[in-house]
Amino acid sequence: MKQVVHFGAGNIGRGFIGALFSQSGYHVTFVDIADQIIDQLNKDKQYDVKLATDQKETVTISNVSGLNNLKQETEVVQAIKGATYLTTAIGPTILPRIAPLIAKGLIERVKTTDEKLYVIACENQISATDLLKGYIEEHLDAETKAHLSNKIYFFNSAVDRIVPIQNNQGSLDVLVEPYYEWVVETTESIPPVEGMKIVSDLAPFIERKLFTVNTGHAVIAYLGYLENKTTIDQTLADEAIVKQVKETLGETGAYLIKQYGLNPDEHEQYINKIIQRFKNAYLNDAVTRVGRSPIRKLGPNDRLVRPATEAHKAGLSYTNLAKAIASALLFDYKEDEEAVKLQEMISAHGVSHVLKEVSGLAEDSDITNEVLKQYEQLNK
């Protein structure tokens, strides 16, 4: 049976990427540090993926096992030596931590086989696989890097599936929305995986997704938090918030249409479809889950700041995006480590300084000034 090594045995790894590989006839070895999940994968050797619909359709995912990358380094290296694909769904900030172990696996692999390995980081981050490749190469010498050529391939991808926080009480089963999209950028002929879409240019897909799905989700979460809403679907019962979300996505859409020549009517339909997905009450998705890690989400290349800077450069409106950034700066959720740190930074240095440090925005920039204005209005 063909093998996949997948870093990240969390809900997205099990409910999305790992599930697609299993359904495509691969054995999936999940690599993670969560002992309980790894032990259960090895004991049960299967789990169910449940769709958040009226019918609650269920698919059983089999041919799975687990390894702990902190305790079973040798076994992970062996798994990498025999894999066809190596994928991740672990969070962009964790990629540097797993890179040394992946590098060890690749060093051993090229000594024993010329079989091709395809590496894909399935993260909510532009060019995540390029980033992972860079982290891995920091642990490789020049000779090994040369040996990787035509043997190890790194492909960027865009992923889209809502997987809420689970109330599965120790179960491996995962609740997911029915919709998903997994787009991989390559001109190579690669082994087929059910649900994987191959494109030669990922940029329009990843930016459309990041600046519509991720931007929209974040805006709903932060505005919902400020209005004391509990869940995403509950927040979207507020028509004023729906209007604000649509206006924000109108700004990201204007940039996408100008940049990539998207059809305006089709993109408007895409926006409406995304908002309908967010209204799925079966997901019961908490605003605090979607809004978590605000420092990462306020990064210069992420879902809020990047479209604002691109819109500004293109001479387009970014007022609603500035309001979205301001709402993220007000995410004062005590149980989120980044939210606590963000509020401490604002208290100590002020919003302008934080936007410079976290978002790469000059303190006297047009965007910063607009964010400050929106921040003061929201803070009232």
Side-chain angles (χ1 to χ4, degrees):
M1 181 174 269
K2 294 174 291 183
Q3 303 289 318
V4 176
V5 174
H6 179 83
F7 281 80
N11 296 323
I12 293 171
R14 298 198 315 279
F16 186 7
I17 306 302
L20 291 181
F21 274 115
S22 170
Q23 290 174 284
S24 302
Y26 289 81
H27 178 93
V28 184
T29 302
F30 289 98
V31 181
D32 206 297
I33 60 171
D35 276 331
Q36 183 188 342
I37 293 175
I38 295 303
D39 291 345
Q40 205 162 347
L41 281 166
N42 292 325
K43 176 174 169 280
D44 298 348
K45 297 181 172 53
Q46 65 177 42
Y47 57 88
D48 288 340
V49 172
K50 300 176 181 179
L51 300 187
T53 61
D54 288 335
Q55 292 75 29
K56 297 281 195 299
E57 300 100 318
T58 299
V59 179
T60 297
I61 305 303
S62 55
N63 296 313
V64 294
S65 60
L67 292 171
N68 186 312
N69 48 303
L70 296 182
K71 301 175 182 177
Q72 297 174 286
E73 189 173 290
T74 304
E75 290 88 340
V76 174
V77 168
Q78 283 299 119
I80 292 171
K81 284 171 68 175
T84 299
Y85 281 96
L86 187 155
T87 55
T88 77
I90 205 162
T93 58
I94 309 299
L95 295 178
R97 297 189 210 171
I98 62 172
L101 179 53
I102 295 173
K104 285 183 182 178
L106 298 185
I107 289 166
E108 292 304 312
R109 182 187 174 97
V110 296
K111 289 177 184 175
T112 57
T113 180
D114 290 333
E115 290 290 317
K116 295 175 179 178
L117 174 69
Y118 305 99
V119 180
I120 308 171
C122 308
E123 312 289 350
N124 275 322
Q125 171 83 47
I126 293 172
S127 302
T129 308
D130 287 345
L131 291 172
L132 177 59
K133 182 182 181 183
Y135 299 139
I136 292 168
E137 287 182 341
E138 289 174 14
H139 304 277
L140 301 175
D141 57 38
E143 186 181 353
T144 305
K145 286 180 195 174
H147 284 154
L148 297 188
S149 180
N150 299 319
K151 294 180 185 178
I152 314 295
Y153 294 81
F154 293 85
F155 301 141
N156 285 311
S157 81
V159 289
D160 184 8
R161 187 172 219 174
I162 298 171
V163 183
I165 286 177
Q166 311 285 307
N167 297 312
N168 42 17
Q169 296 165 338
S171 167
L172 290 173
D173 298 347
V174 191
L175 178 74
V176 300
E177 69 163 332
Y179 176 92
Y180 68 84
E181 185 175 58
W182 184 19
V183 185
V184 173
E185 182 181 59
T186 178
T187 55
E188 299 285 330
S189 177
I190 65 174
V193 181
E194 183 178 319
M196 179 196 285
K197 179 177 182 176
I198 305 296
V199 299
S200 57
D201 182 13
L202 188 66
F205 291 90
I206 198 162
E207 290 210 344
R208 183 190 67 156
K209 186 264 172 176
L210 189 61
F211 300 156
T212 311
V213 180
N214 296 74
T215 303
H217 221 186
V219 174
I220 297 162
Y222 294 132
L223 293 176
Y225 179 81
L226 293 177
E227 293 292 333
N228 298 310
K229 311 290 187 185
T230 305
T231 61
I232 295 296
D233 63 290
Q234 206 180 75
T235 303
L236 287 173
D238 186 326
E239 285 304 319
I241 292 178
V242 173
K243 183 172 182 287
Q244 182 60 44
V245 173
K246 285 185 175 179
E247 287 176 357
T248 307
L249 296 183
E251 289 181 348
T252 63
Y255 157 68
L256 291 167
I257 289 163
K258 184 171 182 176
Q259 179 71 13
Y260 298 111
L262 304 184
N263 180 295
D265 292 336
E266 288 177 5
H267 188 67
E268 186 176 355
Q269 289 170 16
Y270 179 70
I271 289 172
N272 290 332
K273 181 170 82 171
I274 298 307
I275 291 173
Q276 282 305 120
R277 284 170 58 199
F278 293 152
K279 288 182 177 180
N280 186 343
Y282 291 111
L283 290 169
N284 195 33
D285 209 0
V287 296
T288 49
R289 182 199 79 86
V290 179
R292 66 188 174 186
S293 306
I295 292 176
R296 175 170 63 85
K297 286 169 181 166
L298 285 166
N301 289 314
D302 217 289
R303 64 209 72 193
L304 300 174
V305 176
R306 173 75 180 272
T309 55
E310 294 296 336
H312 180 255
K313 279 193 278 187
L316 299 167
S317 171
Y318 53 86
T319 305
N320 293 289
L321 281 161
K323 185 173 183 176
I325 294 166
S327 68
L329 291 164
L330 288 162
F331 185 64
D332 187 13
Y333 182 55
K334 298 293 188 287
E335 292 180 42
D336 184 88
E337 193 177 319
E338 282 196 14
V340 171
K341 184 179 176 183
L342 183 64
Q343 297 311 311
E344 288 172 351
M345 291 170 71
I346 292 170
S347 295
H349 305 289
V351 171
S352 297
H353 176 82
V354 169
L355 288 172
K356 181 184 175 185
E357 291 299 308
V358 171
S359 308
L361 296 170
E363 293 192 36
D364 60 349
S365 72
D366 293 340
I367 298 174
T368 296
N369 290 330
E370 185 61 37
V371 172
L372 286 170
K373 189 172 93 177
Q374 299 290 341
Y375 182 87
E376 287 169 14
Q377 289 177 0
L378 286 172
N379 213 10
K380 289 175 183 174

